[in-house]
Amino acid sequence: MLVNDQQNLKAISPILKYSLITGVALLLGLRLFFWLSGNMVADEAYYWMWSQHPAISYYDHPPLNAWILWLASKLFGWNVLALRIGPILTFLADIWILWAISKQISDQPKQHFALTLTLFLATPIFLTMTMLALPDHLMVMLLLLALLCFIKFFKAMEMGAHVWTWLYAACICVGLATLAKYNAVLLGAGAFLYALTNKHARSIFKHWQSYAAFALFLLVVGPEIYWNINTNASSITFILRDRHAGLPTENNFSGLIGYLGGMIGFLSPFLLWPLAKSLWPTSKNIPQLGLARCIFWVSTLLFLALSLTTDIMFHWNLVAYIAILPFLAHFIRWGWLLFSHIAYGVLLAAIIAYNFGALPIRTYFSTADYFSARSFGWKETAEWVEELRLVHEPDFIVGTHYTISSPLGFALQNPDVTDLGAAHSQFRYWFAAPKHLGDNALIITHSGKGLGAELETRFEQVELLDTIEIYRQGYLVEKRQAYLATGFKN
């Protein structure tokens, strides 16, 4: 018997009901505004540049997002629609999968789905990770689909049936999600822990089909395995060691504080109580809640331990939140706590949409942070660069950081724009330095630090050509400088 604890939306006060509906409408509107604003986050352009250099895998992340963007570029051309069509389609798929999961874990699926969808729309981490053309939007969809398949499989096992098709599908989905981001494998690890600890599920290990399902997973992630074997585990080394230099001293809790603070901020403080109740032992008969708990704890405790040694980005624990999301509707009601959560989500969505779609908010008080600033002014920058290119006829165009090279390459519709900055990036795998010996380059950087001594030594001579200032609403967002560098040496 499924749990029956969803409060009917019709039973709440009209003021609260219309407030909730207004909040959801605002969340959808802000998402649509950002999609249509024409601005992009620099990382989105970075993955687009990947897609224009098809490969079996890549340095920073696995290849699935780049493959999807390559297909979008062939179907829709080189434009923002092609960039964003993926997140739009996966967002619609997420909604359908949440509905399918609701039918599996509640006997009032319409009420449960309405609550779950509201939480999905209003929770900041799902808003940010499903709105952008980053690997995360694919991981969210594929892991939700894997969760649905695992739920169906383990429910059937509890009734004495072994529907192996659902297990095969779940493992394939986890494999595809891992082709989007490495941390997706933690959902599979959580499902494995559940099978070990649940008396009904434990018998899975007696059947060869379970090992065949794992083999399917390995087959799907084969491109990642091949890439890392042939590049001396470059991606794994980057993820585990090179991405962060560690905390400044021993026994420093800044990583832990940042991890917990990110969890509170991007889940929202108003979701902590329902989350705690979902993880606490309960008498409610909620199908496969144990599965979601295992996944949540495997991911959360791993990053909790890592936070004692390095900084953890807020979205790394996304797997845990994906697993527990469909079950939170059993522990929250249509009330003021939910309204507060929606209001919090609307506020953060508005800040994000405005910051990346209209004007970096920090510009009102000082200078814009570089990551926000790199979302603006690339059309005028590309026109400026094209004028300089016609005058000086460089052999190639260069940025000094991937957040410059990528949006510039996108705006120029030129896949050969490269990055010669100090930070290691995927561009190093594309740029064949010996082929450019003696060539001249047009180098674009941001004002303030120049090119840096290391980059200047790679050319015979470097000359500052011009500076462009990017303004929005009368505020200076960023200055960009162009250098002519002649005689490339190495």
Side-chain angles (χ1 to χ4, degrees):
M1 184 66 181
L2 299 181
V3 67
N4 180 0
D5 65 351
Q6 270 79 49
Q7 179 190 17
N8 194 311
L9 180 59
K10 296 179 180 178
I12 66 175
S13 69
I15 294 178
L16 179 57
K17 179 173 69 174
Y18 290 117
S19 298
L20 293 170
I21 293 172
T22 300
V24 170
L26 286 172
L27 288 165
L28 290 171
L30 288 167
R31 180 185 290 266
L32 187 62
F33 164 78
F34 185 80
W35 278 336
L36 298 178
S37 69
N39 285 8
M40 72 189 80
V41 174
D43 280 21
E44 294 182 282
Y46 184 40
Y47 297 122
W48 181 271
M49 296 296 282
W50 288 17
S51 74
Q52 303 309 303
H53 299 81
I56 197 167
S57 194
Y58 299 89
Y59 173 65
D60 307 55
H61 288 298
L64 186 59
N65 192 41
W67 294 350
I68 297 297
L69 288 172
W70 174 86
L71 179 60
S73 72
K74 298 305 178 185
L75 294 175
F76 303 101
W78 191 309
N79 50 61
V80 175
L81 171 63
L83 179 71
R84 292 273 166 76
I85 192 66
I88 293 171
L89 293 177
T90 54
F91 173 68
L92 296 175
D94 293 337
I95 294 173
W96 178 85
I97 298 167
L98 290 172
W99 164 244
I101 292 175
S102 294
K103 291 191 290 184
Q104 293 295 316
I105 64 176
S106 175
D107 64 353
Q108 292 186 346
K110 291 182 180 180
Q111 293 294 325
H112 187 278
F113 170 69
L115 265 169
T116 302
L117 180 59
T118 300
L119 293 174
F120 179 70
L121 293 173
T123 303
I125 193 166
F126 293 117
L127 171 79
T128 54
M129 294 297 103
T130 62
M131 190 167 60
L132 304 172
L134 308 179
D136 303 82
H137 79 93
L138 291 166
M139 185 182 77
V140 170
M141 182 198 71
L142 289 164
L143 289 187
L144 282 174
L145 192 56
L147 183 64
L148 172 63
C149 294
F150 275 127
I151 289 172
K152 284 178 172 284
F153 175 73
F154 287 121
K155 278 185 69 177
M157 279 198 69
E158 291 178 358
M159 295 184 288
H162 293 86
V163 187
W164 297 108
T165 303
W166 289 120
L167 184 61
Y168 296 150
C171 289
I172 289 171
C173 287
V174 173
L176 289 172
T178 308
L179 276 182
K181 291 200 73 172
Y182 286 106
N183 57 325
V185 73
L186 295 175
L187 189 136
F192 176 76
L193 177 63
Y194 176 73
L196 279 178
T197 56
N198 183 274
K199 63 180 180 180
H200 297 292
R202 199 174 300 133
S203 63
I204 187 179
F205 299 107
K206 299 178 182 178
H207 301 275
W208 66 266
Q209 289 92 338
S210 61
Y211 303 98
F214 181 66
L216 284 173
F217 164 78
L218 292 177
L219 181 65
V220 173
V221 299
E224 293 173 54
I225 297 172
Y226 178 84
W227 163 270
N228 280 285
I229 290 174
N230 283 274
T231 59
N232 297 317
S234 60
S235 294
I236 294 174
T237 302
F238 169 74
I239 296 295
L240 297 180
R241 187 189 67 192
D242 298 343
R243 188 165 193 167
H244 296 285
L247 300 175
T249 60
E250 293 184 3
N251 300 320
N252 189 310
F253 290 100
S254 64
L256 176 63
I257 294 170
Y259 173 56
L260 296 177
M263 180 183 293
I264 295 171
F266 281 90
L267 280 179
S268 104
F270 306 102
L271 207 58
L272 295 181
W273 177 240
L275 175 63
K277 289 197 295 182
S278 71
L279 299 172
W280 195 257
T282 178
S283 59
K284 295 180 179 181
N285 180 25
I286 304 174
Q288 307 317 313
L289 176 58
L291 169 65
R293 286 171 172 169
C294 284
I295 297 167
F296 180 89
W297 285 120
V298 164
S299 181
T300 301
L301 292 179
L302 171 64
F303 289 117
L304 181 67
L306 290 175
S307 72
L308 299 175
T309 64
T310 187
D311 291 320
I312 301 297
M313 300 181 74
F314 72 91
H315 61 289
W316 287 5
N317 198 33
L318 183 58
V319 173
Y321 312 140
I322 293 169
I324 207 67
L325 167 70
F327 297 88
L328 291 177
H330 290 295
F331 301 94
I332 192 169
R333 298 171 65 83
W334 294 106
W336 290 106
L337 182 65
L338 179 61
F339 173 76
S340 299
H341 177 67
I342 293 173
Y344 181 82
V346 169
L347 176 62
L348 261 67
I351 291 173
I352 292 168
Y354 190 85
N355 187 76
F356 291 100
L359 178 72
I361 292 174
R362 216 174 82 173
T363 308
Y364 287 114
F365 312 104
S366 59
T367 57
D369 65 284
Y370 83 94
F371 196 73
S372 299
R374 303 289 153 79
S375 292
F376 296 88
W378 289 107
K379 182 179 179 181
E380 52 258 55
T381 301
E383 293 171 353
W384 170 67
V385 168
E386 184 61 21
E387 291 174 0
L388 293 172
R389 186 190 67 80
L390 291 174
V391 172
H392 299 280
E393 298 182 341
D395 298 294
F396 60 106
I397 300 173
V398 179
T400 55
H401 194 264
Y402 83 91
T403 59
I404 294 175
S405 305
S406 301
L408 178 60
F410 185 93
L412 289 170
Q413 298 192 12
N414 182 354
D416 296 323
V417 173
T418 193
D419 168 32
L420 292 181
H424 204 106
S425 73
Q426 178 62 36
F427 284 96
R428 294 196 181 186
Y429 290 89
W430 302 326
F431 183 72
K435 294 182 179 180
H436 292 280
L437 294 177
D439 284 354
N440 301 333
L442 181 61
I443 304 178
I444 308 303
T445 186
H446 63 94
S447 63
K449 294 185 178 180
L451 297 184
E454 181 180 346
L455 181 54
E456 287 190 17
T457 60
R458 301 182 71 177
F459 292 87
E460 295 289 347
Q461 185 176 351
V462 173
E463 174 191 358
L464 176 62
L465 295 178
D466 198 7
T467 300
I468 186 173
E469 297 181 343
I470 306 301
Y471 283 89
R472 290 295 182 271
Q473 301 179 27
Y475 290 91
L476 177 64
V477 175
E478 188 174 55
K479 292 182 180 181
R480 293 165 190 160
Q481 295 178 327
Y483 289 79
L484 181 63
T486 57
F488 181 70
K489 295 188 292 186
N490 59 64

